[in-house]
Coordinates of all heavy atoms in Angstrom, one line a residue:
R13 N 18.4 -13.8 -8.0 CA 17.3 -13.1 -7.4 C 17.2 -11.7 -7.9 O 16.3 -11.0 -7.4 CB 17.5 -13.1 -5.9 CG 18.4 -12.1 -5.4 CD 18.5 -12.1 -3.9 NE 19.4 -11.0 -3.4 CZ 19.0 -9.8 -3.0 NH1 17.7 -9.6 -3.0 NH2 19.9 -8.9 -2.6
K14 N 18.0 -11.3 -8.8 CA 18.0 -9.9 -9.3 C 16.6 -9.7 -9.9 O 16.1 -10.5 -10.8 CB 19.0 -9.7 -10.3 CG 20.5 -9.8 -9.8 CD 20.7 -8.8 -8.7 CE 22.2 -8.9 -8.2 NZ 22.4 -7.9 -7.1
G15 N 15.9 -8.6 -9.5 CA 14.6 -8.3 -10.0 C 13.5 -9.0 -9.2 O 12.3 -8.6 -9.4
T16 N 13.9 -9.8 -8.3 CA 12.8 -10.5 -7.5 C 12.5 -9.6 -6.3 O 13.4 -9.1 -5.5 CB 13.4 -11.8 -6.9 OG1 13.6 -12.7 -8.0 CG2 12.3 -12.5 -6.0
K17 N 11.2 -9.3 -6.1 CA 10.8 -8.4 -5.0 C 10.4 -9.3 -3.8 O 9.8 -10.3 -3.9 CB 9.6 -7.5 -5.5 CG 9.9 -6.5 -6.6 CD 8.8 -5.7 -6.9 CE 9.2 -4.7 -8.0 NZ 8.0 -3.8 -8.4
V18 N 10.7 -8.7 -2.6 CA 10.3 -9.4 -1.4 C 9.1 -8.6 -0.7 O 8.7 -9.0 0.3 CB 11.5 -9.5 -0.4 CG1 12.5 -10.4 -1.1 CG2 12.0 -8.2 0.0
E19 N 8.7 -7.5 -1.3 CA 7.7 -6.7 -0.7 C 6.4 -7.5 -0.5 O 6.0 -8.3 -1.5 CB 7.4 -5.4 -1.5 CG 8.5 -4.4 -1.5 CD 9.5 -4.6 -2.5 OE1 9.6 -5.7 -3.0 OE2 10.4 -3.7 -2.6
G20 N 5.8 -7.5 0.6 CA 4.6 -8.2 0.8 C 4.8 -9.6 1.4 O 4.0 -10.1 2.0
L21 N 6.1 -10.1 1.4 CA 6.4 -11.4 2.0 C 6.5 -11.2 3.5 O 6.3 -12.2 4.2 CB 7.6 -12.0 1.4 CG 7.6 -12.3 -0.1 CD1 8.9 -12.9 -0.5 CD2 6.5 -13.3 -0.4
F22 N 6.9 -10.0 3.9 CA 7.1 -9.8 5.3 C 6.9 -8.4 5.6 O 7.1 -7.5 4.8 CB 8.5 -10.2 5.7 CG 8.9 -10.1 7.2 CD1 8.6 -11.2 7.9 CD2 9.3 -9.0 7.8 CE1 8.9 -11.2 9.3 CE2 9.6 -8.9 9.1 CZ 9.4 -10.1 9.9
K23 N 6.3 -8.1 6.8 CA 6.0 -6.7 7.2 C 6.4 -6.5 8.6 O 6.2 -7.4 9.4 CB 4.5 -6.4 6.9 CG 4.2 -5.0 7.1 CD 2.7 -4.7 6.7 CE 2.4 -3.2 6.8 NZ 1.0 -2.9 6.4
Q24 N 6.9 -5.3 8.9 CA 7.2 -5.0 10.2 C 6.0 -5.1 11.2 O 4.9 -4.7 10.8 CB 7.8 -3.6 10.3 CG 8.5 -3.2 11.6 CD 9.1 -1.8 11.6 OE1 8.5 -0.9 10.9 NE2 10.0 -1.5 12.4
V25 N 6.2 -5.5 12.4 CA 5.1 -5.7 13.3 C 4.4 -4.4 13.6 O 3.2 -4.3 13.5 CB 5.6 -6.4 14.6 CG1 4.4 -6.6 15.6 CG2 6.2 -7.8 14.3
E26 N 5.1 -3.4 13.9 CA 4.6 -2.1 14.3 C 5.0 -1.1 13.3 O 5.9 -0.3 13.5 CB 5.0 -1.7 15.7 CG 4.4 -2.6 16.8 CD 4.9 -2.2 18.2 OE1 5.7 -1.2 18.2 OE2 4.5 -2.8 19.1
D27 N 4.5 -1.2 12.1 CA 4.9 -0.3 11.0 C 3.9 0.9 10.9 O 2.7 0.6 10.5 CB 4.9 -1.1 9.7 CG 5.3 -0.2 8.5 OD1 6.0 0.8 8.7 OD2 5.1 -0.6 7.4
T28 N 4.3 2.0 11.2 CA 3.4 3.2 11.1 C 3.5 3.9 9.8 O 2.8 4.8 9.5 CB 3.7 4.2 12.2 OG1 5.1 4.6 12.2 CG2 3.5 3.6 13.6
N29 N 4.5 3.5 9.0 CA 4.8 4.2 7.7 C 3.9 3.4 6.6 O 4.2 2.3 6.3 CB 6.2 4.1 7.3 CG 6.5 4.8 6.0 OD1 5.6 5.5 5.5 ND2 7.7 4.6 5.4
Q30 N 2.8 4.1 6.2 CA 2.0 3.4 5.2 C 2.4 3.6 3.8 O 1.7 3.0 2.9 CB 0.5 3.9 5.5 CG 0.0 3.7 6.8 CD -0.2 2.2 7.1 OE1 -0.5 1.4 6.2 NE2 0.2 1.8 8.3
D31 N 3.4 4.4 3.6 CA 3.8 4.8 2.2 C 4.8 3.7 1.8 O 6.0 3.9 1.7 CB 4.4 6.1 2.1 CG 4.7 6.6 0.7 OD1 4.2 5.8 -0.2 OD2 5.5 7.5 0.5
T32 N 4.3 2.5 1.5 CA 5.2 1.4 1.2 C 5.0 0.9 -0.2 O 4.0 1.2 -0.9 CB 4.9 0.2 2.1 OG1 3.5 -0.1 2.1 CG2 5.4 0.5 3.5
D33 N 6.0 0.3 -0.8 CA 6.0 -0.1 -2.2 C 4.8 -1.0 -2.5 O 4.2 -0.9 -3.6 CB 7.4 -0.8 -2.6 CG 8.5 0.2 -2.4 OD1 8.3 1.4 -2.5 OD2 9.7 -0.3 -2.3
W34 N 4.6 -2.0 -1.6 CA 3.6 -3.0 -2.0 C 2.1 -2.4 -2.0 O 1.2 -3.0 -2.4 CB 3.7 -4.2 -1.1 CG 3.3 -4.0 0.3 CD1 2.1 -4.1 0.9 CD2 4.2 -3.7 1.4 NE1 2.2 -3.8 2.2 CE2 3.4 -3.6 2.5 CE3 5.6 -3.6 1.5 CZ2 4.0 -3.4 3.8 CZ3 6.2 -3.4 2.7 CH2 5.4 -3.2 3.8
E35 N 2.0 -1.2 -1.4 CA 0.7 -0.5 -1.3 C 0.5 0.5 -2.5 O -0.6 0.9 -2.6 CB 0.5 0.1 0.0 CG 0.4 -0.8 1.2 CD 0.4 -0.1 2.5 OE1 0.7 1.1 2.5 OE2 0.0 -0.7 3.5
S36 N 1.6 0.8 -3.2 CA 1.5 1.9 -4.1 C 0.9 1.5 -5.4 O 0.5 2.3 -6.3 CB 2.9 2.5 -4.4 OG 3.8 1.5 -4.9
D37 N 0.9 0.2 -5.7 CA 0.5 -0.3 -7.1 C -1.0 0.0 -7.3 O -1.4 0.5 -8.3 CB 0.7 -1.8 -7.2 CG 2.1 -2.2 -7.2 OD1 2.9 -1.3 -7.5 OD2 2.5 -3.3 -6.9
D38 N -1.9 -0.2 -6.3 CA -3.3 0.0 -6.5 C -3.9 1.0 -5.6 O -5.1 1.1 -5.4 CB -4.1 -1.3 -6.4 CG -3.8 -2.0 -5.0 OD1 -3.0 -1.4 -4.3 OD2 -4.3 -3.1 -4.8
S39 N -3.0 1.8 -4.9 CA -3.5 2.8 -4.0 C -4.3 3.9 -4.7 O -5.2 4.5 -4.2 CB -2.3 3.4 -3.2 OG -1.4 4.0 -4.1
G40 N -3.8 4.2 -5.9 CA -4.5 5.3 -6.7 C -5.9 5.0 -6.9 O -6.8 5.8 -6.7
D41 N -6.2 3.7 -7.3 CA -7.6 3.3 -7.6 C -8.4 3.4 -6.3 O -9.5 3.9 -6.3 CB -7.6 1.9 -8.1 CG -7.0 1.8 -9.5 OD1 -6.9 2.9 -10.2 OD2 -6.6 0.7 -10.0
E42 N -7.8 2.9 -5.2 CA -8.5 2.9 -4.0 C -8.8 4.4 -3.5 O -9.8 4.7 -3.0 CB -7.7 2.2 -2.9 CG -7.5 0.7 -3.2 CD -6.6 0.1 -2.1 OE1 -6.2 0.8 -1.2 OE2 -6.5 -1.1 -2.1
D43 N -7.8 5.3 -3.8 CA -8.0 6.7 -3.4 C -9.2 7.2 -4.1 O -10.0 8.0 -3.6 CB -6.7 7.5 -3.6 CG -5.7 7.1 -2.6 OD1 -5.9 6.4 -1.6 OD2 -4.5 7.4 -2.9
E44 N -9.2 6.9 -5.4 CA -10.4 7.4 -6.3 C -11.7 7.0 -5.7 O -12.6 7.7 -5.6 CB -10.1 7.0 -7.7 CG -8.9 7.8 -8.4 CD -8.7 7.3 -9.8 OE1 -9.5 6.5 -10.3 OE2 -7.7 7.7 -10.4
D45 N -11.7 5.7 -5.4 CA -12.9 5.1 -4.9 C -13.3 5.7 -3.6 O -14.4 6.1 -3.3 CB -12.8 3.6 -4.8 CG -12.6 2.9 -6.1 OD1 -13.0 3.5 -7.1 OD2 -12.1 1.7 -6.1
D46 N -12.2 6.0 -2.8 CA -12.5 6.5 -1.5 C -13.0 8.0 -1.6 O -13.9 8.4 -0.9 CB -11.3 6.5 -0.6 CG -10.9 5.1 -0.2 OD1 -11.7 4.2 -0.3 OD2 -9.7 4.9 0.2
E47 N -12.4 8.7 -2.6 CA -12.9 10.0 -2.8 C -14.3 10.1 -3.2 O -15.1 10.9 -2.7 CB -12.0 10.8 -3.8 CG -10.6 11.0 -3.3 CD -9.7 11.6 -4.4 OE1 -10.3 11.8 -5.5 OE2 -8.5 11.8 -4.2
D48 N -14.7 9.3 -4.1 CA -16.1 9.3 -4.6 C -17.0 8.8 -3.4 O -18.1 9.4 -3.2 CB -16.3 8.3 -5.8 CG -15.5 8.8 -7.0 OD1 -15.2 10.1 -7.0 OD2 -15.2 8.1 -7.9
G49 N -16.6 7.7 -2.9 CA -17.5 7.1 -1.8 C -17.6 8.1 -0.6 O -18.6 8.3 0.0
G50 N -16.4 8.6 -0.3 CA -16.3 9.6 0.8 C -17.2 10.8 0.6 O -17.8 11.3 1.6
A51 N -17.2 11.2 -0.6 CA -18.0 12.4 -0.9 C -19.5 12.1 -0.7 O -20.2 13.0 -0.2 CB -17.8 12.9 -2.4
D52 N -19.9 10.9 -1.1 CA -21.4 10.6 -0.9 C -21.7 10.5 0.6 O -22.7 11.0 1.0 CB -21.6 9.2 -1.6 CG -21.5 9.3 -3.1 OD1 -21.6 10.4 -3.6 OD2 -21.3 8.2 -3.7
V53 N -20.8 9.9 1.3 CA -21.1 9.8 2.8 C -21.1 11.2 3.4 O -22.0 11.5 4.2 CB -20.0 8.9 3.4 CG1 -20.2 9.0 5.0 CG2 -20.1 7.5 2.9
A54 N -20.2 12.1 3.0 CA -20.1 13.4 3.5 C -21.3 14.2 3.2 O -21.9 14.9 4.0 CB -18.9 14.1 3.1

């Protein structure tokens, strides 16, 4: 199992920490989209 990731297979029921490994892969793109879209809305 070396190198096998379990992120995303299970998540804490009440997890308030959003800075997790499985969210970091595409969070940058989402942030950029949010910034552009957020600016338009603002």
Side-chain angles (χ1 to χ4, degrees):
R13 81 181 181 95
K14 298 299 183 181
T16 302
K17 296 183 178 180
V18 299
E19 289 85 347
L21 297 179
F22 186 87
K23 188 173 183 179
Q24 190 181 31
V25 177
E26 296 179 357
D27 181 19
T28 58
N29 182 12
Q30 299 299 321
D31 187 14
T32 50
D33 293 337
W34 68 85
E35 293 176 343
S36 61
D37 294 339
D38 53 3
S39 59
D41 295 338
E42 293 178 356
D43 291 341
E44 293 176 2
D45 294 341
D46 291 343
E47 290 175 2
D48 296 339
D52 293 339
V53 173

